Amino acid sequence: MAPFRRGTKDRGGSSLRGRGSTITRGRGRGRGRGNSTAANGPKSTFYSTRVEEVREDISENDQATTDESVDDQVSLSGSSDGDVDFAAVGTVKPYITLLRSLNQPVHHEQPPLKKRRLAQEHGFNGSLPVPTAIEIEQLSEEKDLDFVEEPELDGNISPDEPDEDDGPGPELDEAHDFFNEHFTAVDEKALTTCAKDAAESRWTTQRSALLSDWKISSASYESLPIASELAKRSMFTIQDFQLKHKLQTQAKQGLPSDNGLNSILASSIFSYQDLLFCDRLPTVASDLRMLTCLHALNHIFKTRDRIIKSNARLSKADTTEDIEYRDQGFTRPKVLIVLPTRQTCLKVVESIISLCEPEQQENKKRFQDSYSQTDDDFSPDKPEDFRELFGGNDDDMFRLGMKFTRKTVKYFSQFYNSDIILASPLGLRMAIGTEESKKQDHDFLSSIEIVIVDQTDALLMQNWEHVEYIFEHLNLQPKETHGCDFSRVRNWYLDGNARFLRQTILLTAYNTPEINRLFSHNMLNIAGKVKICKENYEGVMLDLGIQVKQTFTRYDAPTLSTDPDARFKYFTTAIVPSLTKFSRMHSTKAQGILVFIASYMDYVRVRNFLANSTSTQNISFGSISEYTSVRDVARARSHFFSGRHSLLLYTGRAHHFRRYLLRGVHKVIMYSLPDNPLFYREMVEGYLTRSVSEGIVDVTNASVRSVFSKWDILKLERIVGTKRCAAMIKERAGDTFDFL
């Protein structure tokens, strides 16, 4: 083929911290983004049969100036988010086998081949370390900003908490209150039937045409028609939300204007339906934050108010009367908010405080000191989504308990004394502990009734296994009583059916198979679930600011588990030969070939192949991953720009955490498409446009080549557009598509 053709001392204050695989930090960026050296032990160096590390000081000339220092499987007949299949999808982890093979020792029967210099990586060798229980205990000695030393109180409400004073205002209509309808008026027989439907994935789905630009798909259990009735409720005003009186004034001032979409989002949120919203962008972040925080506060206040009123009735009741008030869970925490960084946690807390306006805030200064930070020094080229995610305190290891009383909000409350828990996946995973640890404790998650996951797409770039681990430990039967009065516990808690009443809200910038699986397997609400996505994607390839040749080539992968092998085979047999030929033809000048690889496992595999294969001896290459040190990144970028390296490997997480503006790019090869369509634009429009404007390459010689399979339909749709994607997936006349 011609080149480029078509710890748990006290919950809420666990002092366990760590990085790695099973217990791993997010990868890439400085503090809070996974400098893996600390937990992974001494730096390991990458060796190959042809390449041995040549340690030498980099001369000043080598450190040339750089700009910066440093699926749920879908139907193929249409849009990937359109024909939603809510049936459970079997767990397929094709990279597990690949990971094991990469960690196997290589035995060489032949003498080493000719040595060839390679930009070495000194931070990671391809294997993901799993820390032992002893190592985790050692990590617990690290200073913990969120440590809490507070006794655990008995019961869901402290005995010294006064009765709720809701102030003047009309009484809530409990008969038509969503809170009462969802949690109190529960049909136990219907709930048991729903559990059977969930086990067999029996869902009824329907499409809504309320908004022309949005694809709204709702699902309910076949045996529960009430879910279908709830799904039909669409347009609401603030009076329909049945807010506590103390929240109504601030809600009117802080809620976003009704633009149709906000009304539908609010209707799903306040009616306790599960929600997956797939267009969470920085422009709508504050509106979504206000909606979810208002709903969480309303739920907390109603729960607290009901328990306190029941306490008052019981204290006045005749002791001979057999009165039963089932209004509690096993433990006090009712809302879990999962967030990527401390700065995002700060924004959520500020929204909560602006809505409830407490008279006192305990530990406020400690909270501000631990979570607030303003020394951002981003260069002007950083995009808006990067600034929103990594601005301020970007530490991804935190957990915070918040306790609400009538006039006071307390930060850093012990988890079992808290109403709301805000945490990152890593922070919560550390608080729960490992399976091997004797201190493992997840009882504080046993009575969670609302889960809000904001910026879910950012969590994919940290460690998605932590998110899955958290959902696996939600609403389990507690191991200890924690002062629980079982005579007050709701029956569906005692029966182990709390997960069918739990509301889950996922907000993400784009959909992925991992998020789809969470939607299908872990969102089992009897009130039904709603997925809202764009009706049609135009495709970022149409608005790049530069007209270059863009080639997309499809390869065949019969199953998801065989997709990594099929992709690698296509790359080594169809693309590498053209790279070798191109390298020989232009050996005297810079070639500037950037190979983007979304997955780290694929990156390790390609890197090893380029270093060991006899067919790639003429290709000099460098590499930048999320584990590459700052020094080695600077060297790789310098050598690539100067032409010393003809090819540069670049991972998706490295770009997510750093957004390097690479120079000297002539051609871009997408070994795998990025989940985030902005990455495609930044590499094509940003890198190639700069090279053309600087006269490094002529626009006619600049090009982009991407490979994909039918399993990449979600990624492909956002890049080429919904209509083109359907045609490219189904086309049988050819597998190569050129665009200018």
Side-chain angles (χ1 to χ4, degrees):
M1 178 177 293
F4 308 104
R5 287 196 59 209
R6 351 193 238 218
T8 60
K9 286 187 178 180
D10 283 311
R11 281 316 123 195
S14 169
S15 54
L16 297 178
R17 299 185 68 148
R19 309 168 178 91
S21 174
T22 303
I23 305 295
T24 184
R25 271 185 104 94
R27 301 171 178 135
R29 215 188 135 71
R31 78 180 183 288
R33 299 202 189 104
N35 192 345
S36 60
T37 306
N40 295 343
K43 288 185 177 182
S44 54
T45 306
F46 167 60
Y47 290 93
S48 71
T49 58
R50 187 184 305 122
V51 182
E52 295 179 359
E53 181 181 7
V54 180
R55 294 187 178 274
E56 62 179 8
D57 294 330
I58 303 177
S59 66
E60 294 183 1
N61 291 334
D62 284 340
Q63 296 189 47
T65 303
T66 58
D67 293 302
E68 300 174 36
S69 58
V70 196
D71 287 299
D72 179 3
Q73 182 183 352
V74 294
S75 170
L76 301 181
S77 60
S79 171
S80 54
D81 287 324
D83 302 321
V84 182
D85 180 10
F86 291 101
V89 179
T91 305
V92 180
K93 295 188 177 181
Y95 286 108
I96 296 301
T97 303
L98 173 59
L99 175 59
R100 290 173 179 167
S101 66
L102 291 173
N103 289 331
Q104 294 297 321
V106 180
H107 303 284
H108 302 287
E109 299 179 357
Q110 299 180 356
L113 300 174
K114 180 181 178 181
K115 295 180 182 179
R116 176 162 54 87
R117 292 193 60 187
L118 168 70
Q120 300 293 337
E121 285 198 3
H122 303 288
F124 197 73
N125 65 352
S127 62
L128 295 175
V130 180
T132 64
I134 295 178
E135 290 173 331
I136 294 176
E137 291 297 330
Q138 293 173 347
L139 290 171
S140 67
E141 299 176 1
E142 188 176 350
K143 182 180 179 181
D144 188 355
L145 295 176
D146 299 328
F147 177 75
V148 174
E149 196 165 5
E150 174 182 284
E152 177 184 334
L153 302 178
D154 292 339
N156 279 251
I157 297 294
S158 303
D160 60 339
E161 292 187 24
D163 192 5
E164 178 72 44
D165 180 13
D166 200 28
E171 290 292 329
L172 297 179
D173 184 3
E174 293 191 357
H176 297 89
D177 181 21
F178 290 121
F179 175 86
N180 183 69
E181 184 176 344
H182 187 72
F183 292 104
T184 304
V186 179
D187 187 335
E188 300 294 338
K189 292 183 179 179
L191 191 58
T192 302
T193 305
C194 286
K196 295 180 180 179
D197 287 346
E200 300 176 7
S201 298
R202 292 201 297 260
W203 293 86
T204 299
T205 62
Q206 57 184 349
R207 292 282 303 274
S208 172
L210 290 173
L211 295 175
S212 58
D213 296 334
W214 296 93
K215 207 181 321 182
I216 306 173
S217 304
S218 61
S220 59
Y221 289 110
E222 293 180 355
S223 59
L224 196 63
I226 187 174
S228 298
E229 294 174 8
L230 283 172
K232 293 177 182 177
R233 299 173 182 171
S234 55
M235 308 303 283
F236 288 90
T237 62
I238 193 170
Q239 288 75 21
D240 296 313
F241 297 154
Q242 292 289 307
L243 297 176
K244 294 290 290 181
H245 179 73
K246 64 185 300 183
L247 294 174
Q248 291 181 8
T249 301
Q250 292 303 316
K252 291 177 181 178
Q253 298 176 1
L255 281 181
S257 59
D258 183 4
N259 61 0
L261 177 62
N262 286 335
S263 181
I264 293 177
L265 289 171
S267 68
S268 296
I269 291 172
F270 284 92
S271 61
Y272 286 94
Q273 289 182 306
D274 285 346
L275 173 66
L276 170 58
F277 180 60
C278 301
D279 198 45
R280 189 265 183 218
L281 301 177
T283 53
V284 298
S286 59
D287 292 348
L288 293 172
R289 192 180 305 120
M290 290 299 293
L291 279 175
T292 52
C293 289
L294 178 62
H295 178 54
L297 281 174
N298 194 45
H299 181 79
I300 291 298
F301 291 161
K302 286 185 177 181
T303 300
R304 182 177 178 277
D305 187 41
R306 184 177 292 271
I307 292 175
I308 291 177
K309 287 181 178 179
S310 296
N311 290 344
R313 293 184 185 122
L314 285 172
S315 64
K316 297 177 182 178
D318 190 337
T319 56
T320 61
E321 296 183 42
D322 186 14
I323 301 177
E324 183 179 71
Y325 291 102
R326 294 199 173 272
D327 50 15
Q328 301 181 13
F330 296 114
T331 55
R332 177 165 179 164
K334 292 294 180 290
V335 177
L336 173 65
I337 304 178
V338 183
L339 303 161
T341 66
R342 286 180 182 265
Q343 184 66 21
T344 56
C345 179
L346 175 65
K347 293 179 181 179
V348 169
V349 170
E350 289 175 345
S351 297
I352 290 174
I353 296 303
S354 68
L355 287 169
C356 66
E357 295 186 315
E359 295 182 9
Q360 298 178 359
Q361 299 180 50
E362 292 188 34
N363 299 326
K364 180 179 179 180
K365 185 178 185 304
R366 178 187 172 187
F367 172 73
Q368 291 290 342
D369 292 343
S370 301
Y371 285 78
S372 179
Q373 180 176 315
T374 58
D375 56 339
D376 294 335
D377 54 353
F378 296 136
S379 58
D381 56 85
K382 299 302 182 186
E384 182 181 9
D385 65 310
F386 182 90
R387 293 173 179 276
E388 185 204 17
L389 178 59
F390 296 124
N393 191 334
D394 57 12
D395 187 6
D396 66 355
M397 167 64 183
F398 67 91
R399 57 255 174 277
L400 174 72
M402 292 185 68
K403 176 182 176 180
F404 293 82
T405 58
R406 186 166 63 93
K407 296 181 179 180
T408 304
V409 170
K410 181 178 181 180
Y411 305 105
F412 299 102
S413 59
Q414 209 255 27
F415 273 5
Y416 287 100
N417 302 335
S418 303
D419 296 295
I420 298 178
I421 296 174
L422 304 98
S424 65
L426 175 61
L428 201 55
R429 178 72 184 270
M430 291 290 96
I432 295 173
T434 63
E435 300 291 346
E436 300 82 8
S437 175
K438 296 180 180 179
K439 297 181 180 180
Q440 186 184 30
D441 179 14
H442 49 73
D443 290 355
F444 59 89
L445 299 176
S446 62
S447 302
I448 295 294
E449 294 173 350
I450 297 177
V451 178
I452 301 169
V453 185
D454 195 11
Q455 291 182 278
T456 312
D457 51 295
L459 303 184
L460 284 165
M461 289 293 182
Q462 293 181 0
N463 192 320
W464 187 250
E465 288 184 4
H466 294 340
V467 178
E468 295 175 334
Y469 188 85
I470 292 169
F471 273 88
E472 290 171 0
H473 290 80
L474 286 173
N475 302 121
L476 300 180
Q477 296 291 329
K479 297 179 180 179
E480 299 179 14
T481 60
H482 302 285
C484 174
D485 181 359
F486 287 92
S487 66
R488 299 282 297 276
V489 177
R490 300 183 192 272
N491 289 326
W492 40 268
Y493 273 115
L494 300 173
D495 295 337
N497 290 326
R499 61 193 177 118
F500 299 109
L501 278 298
R502 183 189 74 231
Q503 181 188 30
T504 304
I505 301 171
L506 302 182
L507 306 176
T508 177
Y510 47 82
N511 198 7
T512 69
E514 294 86 356
I515 296 175
N516 257 338
R517 187 178 187 279
L518 200 66
F519 182 78
S520 298
H521 289 256
N522 297 95
M523 298 169 70
L524 307 173
N525 196 338
I526 62 172
K529 52 188 176 181
V530 178
K531 179 189 288 188
I532 302 178
C533 307
K534 281 187 175 181
E535 180 67 33
N536 287 291
Y537 287 93
E538 294 296 328
V540 296
M541 62 175 288
L542 299 181
D543 185 24
L544 295 178
I546 183 174
Q547 190 171 0
V548 297
K549 183 179 181 180
Q550 302 176 65
T551 302
F552 294 82
T553 305
R554 187 184 67 231
Y555 64 91
D556 292 328
T559 63
L560 180 60
S561 60
T562 61
D563 185 68
D565 290 334
R567 186 188 304 273
F568 180 73
K569 181 179 180 181
Y570 181 84
F571 178 78
T572 56
T573 58
I575 296 181
V576 168
S578 64
L579 293 178
T580 304
K581 181 179 179 181
F582 188 79
S583 180
R584 288 197 300 265
M585 293 173 58
H586 302 83
S587 59
T588 60
K589 61 180 180 179
Q591 299 165 33
I593 303 172
L594 177 69
V595 180
F596 174 83
I597 308 176
S599 164
Y600 185 82
M601 300 305 163
D602 282 335
Y603 159 79
V604 173
R605 194 175 192 180
V606 172
R607 184 195 64 182
N608 290 351
F609 173 81
L610 293 177
N612 295 326
S613 175
T614 57
S615 63
T616 60
Q617 294 184 65
N618 296 324
I619 300 177
S620 62
F621 72 98
S623 53
I624 298 176
S625 77
E626 55 268 37
Y627 296 102
T628 309
S629 67
V630 174
R631 175 190 176 100
D632 291 337
V633 168
R635 176 166 54 184
R637 295 177 64 183
S638 174
H639 288 182
F640 181 69
F641 177 61
S642 66
R644 187 170 182 178
H645 290 146
S646 60
L647 185 146
L648 179 65
L649 303 181
Y650 189 38
T651 66
R653 277 192 171 94
H655 190 69
H656 169 77
F657 287 116
R658 294 295 182 183
R659 300 293 176 92
Y660 292 117
L661 187 57
L662 302 177
R663 299 181 65 190
V665 178
H666 297 193
K667 302 179 185 294
V668 177
I669 296 178
M670 295 283 181
Y671 179 92
S672 48
L673 295 173
D675 281 311
N676 190 342
L678 296 180
F679 289 8
Y680 185 90
R681 171 181 292 168
E682 289 165 2
M683 291 181 194
V684 178
E685 183 180 41
Y687 297 170
L688 293 181
T689 299
R690 181 166 187 172
S691 295
V692 171
S693 63
E694 292 179 348
I696 297 175
V697 64
D698 188 85
V699 67
T700 58
N701 295 324
S703 64
V704 185
R705 182 175 184 179
S706 306
V707 296
F708 69 94
S709 72
K710 64 181 180 181
W711 307 105
D712 296 323
I713 187 171
L714 289 170
K715 304 175 184 179
L716 186 65
E717 179 185 27
R718 294 187 284 268
I719 293 174
V720 304
T722 303
K723 295 180 180 178
R724 296 180 190 84
C725 176
M728 293 167 67
I729 291 293
K730 295 187 299 181
E731 180 63 46
R732 292 292 176 262
D735 55 10
T736 301
F737 309 88
D738 289 332
F739 302 93
L740 290 176

